[in-house]
Amino acid sequence: MDEVKMLVSCVVEKEGRKIVRVSFLRGMEEKRSMDYAEGILPDGIIVKSEGFSETEVQKLEAYMRANRKDILKQAKEINPLRNWMNG
Protein backbone atom coordinates (compact mmCIF):
# COMPACT_ATOMS: atom_id res chain seq x y z
CA MET A 1 0.00 0.00 0.00
CA ASP A 2 1.26 3.50 -0.80
CA GLU A 3 1.45 6.13 1.94
CA VAL A 4 -1.94 6.50 3.60
CA LYS A 5 -2.84 9.57 5.63
CA MET A 6 -5.29 9.29 8.50
CA LEU A 7 -7.57 12.11 9.64
CA VAL A 8 -9.52 11.88 12.90
CA SER A 9 -12.62 13.90 13.78
CA CYS A 10 -13.53 15.11 17.21
CA VAL A 11 -16.03 13.02 19.16
CA VAL A 12 -19.55 13.68 17.86
CA GLU A 13 -22.92 12.48 19.02
CA LYS A 14 -25.11 10.83 16.42
CA GLU A 15 -28.41 9.13 17.20
CA GLY A 16 -27.55 9.08 20.91
CA ARG A 17 -24.12 7.48 20.37
CA LYS A 18 -20.69 9.03 20.65
CA ILE A 19 -18.66 8.27 17.55
CA VAL A 20 -15.45 9.32 15.87
CA ARG A 21 -15.04 9.46 12.11
CA VAL A 22 -11.71 8.25 10.74
CA SER A 23 -10.72 9.03 7.15
CA PHE A 24 -7.92 7.37 5.25
CA LEU A 25 -6.54 9.15 2.18
CA ARG A 26 -4.08 7.93 -0.42
CA GLY A 27 -2.90 9.49 -3.64
CA MET A 28 -2.21 12.86 -5.15
CA GLU A 29 -4.67 15.70 -4.69
CA GLU A 30 -3.18 17.56 -7.65
CA LYS A 31 -4.09 14.69 -9.99
CA ARG A 32 -7.54 14.34 -8.43
CA SER A 33 -6.98 10.61 -8.09
CA MET A 34 -7.22 10.32 -4.34
CA ASP A 35 -8.43 7.07 -2.83
CA TYR A 36 -10.40 7.40 0.38
CA ALA A 37 -12.05 5.31 3.04
CA GLU A 38 -14.23 6.55 5.88
CA GLY A 39 -14.67 4.55 9.04
CA ILE A 40 -16.30 4.99 12.41
CA LEU A 41 -15.24 4.15 15.92
CA PRO A 42 -15.91 2.55 18.32
CA ASP A 43 -17.36 0.10 15.75
CA GLY A 44 -14.11 -0.16 13.82
CA ILE A 45 -15.77 -0.49 10.43
CA ILE A 46 -15.31 1.24 7.09
CA VAL A 47 -18.65 2.67 5.99
CA LYS A 48 -17.62 3.90 2.55
CA SER A 49 -14.55 3.74 0.36
CA GLU A 50 -13.32 4.36 -3.14
CA GLY A 51 -10.06 3.16 -4.64
CA PHE A 52 -9.09 0.74 -1.85
CA SER A 53 -9.38 -2.99 -2.55
CA GLU A 54 -11.51 -5.20 -0.29
CA THR A 55 -8.31 -6.60 1.26
CA GLU A 56 -7.04 -3.07 1.95
CA VAL A 57 -10.38 -2.11 3.53
CA GLN A 58 -10.11 -5.14 5.82
CA LYS A 59 -6.58 -4.04 6.81
CA LEU A 60 -7.82 -0.51 7.55
CA GLU A 61 -10.61 -1.92 9.73
CA ALA A 62 -8.11 -4.14 11.56
CA TYR A 63 -5.87 -1.08 12.09
CA MET A 64 -8.76 0.95 13.54
CA ARG A 65 -9.73 -1.86 15.92
CA ALA A 66 -6.13 -2.51 17.00
CA ASN A 67 -5.53 1.22 17.64
CA ARG A 68 -9.05 2.10 18.84
CA LYS A 69 -7.91 3.32 22.25
CA ASP A 70 -5.23 5.68 20.87
CA ILE A 71 -7.46 7.02 18.10
CA LEU A 72 -10.32 7.72 20.54
CA LYS A 73 -7.88 9.47 22.88
CA GLN A 74 -6.66 11.64 19.99
CA ALA A 75 -10.27 12.49 19.04
CA LYS A 76 -11.12 13.54 22.61
CA GLU A 77 -8.24 16.03 22.57
CA ILE A 78 -9.57 17.83 19.48
CA ASN A 79 -11.32 21.12 20.19
CA PRO A 80 -13.15 22.02 16.96
CA LEU A 81 -14.07 25.56 18.04
CA ARG A 82 -10.49 26.42 19.01
CA ASN A 83 -9.18 24.92 15.77
CA TRP A 84 -11.74 26.88 13.73
CA MET A 85 -10.95 30.16 15.52
CA ASN A 86 -7.19 29.71 15.02
CA GLY A 87 -7.55 28.57 11.39
Side-chain angles (χ1 to χ4, degrees):
M1 220 186 304
D2 292 336
E3 181 182 348
V4 176
K5 294 179 183 178
M6 181 179 77
L7 304 173
V8 178
S9 76
C10 60
V11 178
V12 295
E13 192 164 325
K14 184 174 182 180
E15 299 172 1
R17 293 181 59 213
K18 290 185 177 182
I19 65 166
V20 172
R21 293 201 175 274
V22 182
S23 298
F24 297 95
L25 306 172
R26 175 179 65 189
M28 305 296 281
E29 289 184 54
E30 305 84 43
K31 296 181 182 178
R32 300 197 187 274
S33 63
M34 185 165 292
D35 300 332
Y36 75 91
E38 184 179 319
I40 55 171
L41 285 175
D43 301 353
I45 59 170
I46 298 294
V47 293
K48 61 179 150 176
S49 70
E50 186 172 317
F52 286 98
S53 70
E54 186 59 38
T55 301
E56 290 171 325
V57 167
Q58 291 172 356
K59 288 179 181 180
L60 294 173
E61 289 177 333
Y63 176 85
M64 284 195 307
R65 287 191 291 272
N67 295 282
R68 178 183 288 133
K69 193 170 162 183
D70 292 332
I71 296 170
L72 291 173
K73 181 180 180 224
Q74 182 181 351
K76 288 176 184 174
E77 294 171 355
I78 296 171
N79 181 330
L81 185 58
R82 184 181 66 222
N83 291 345
W84 179 72
M85 296 292 285
N86 291 333

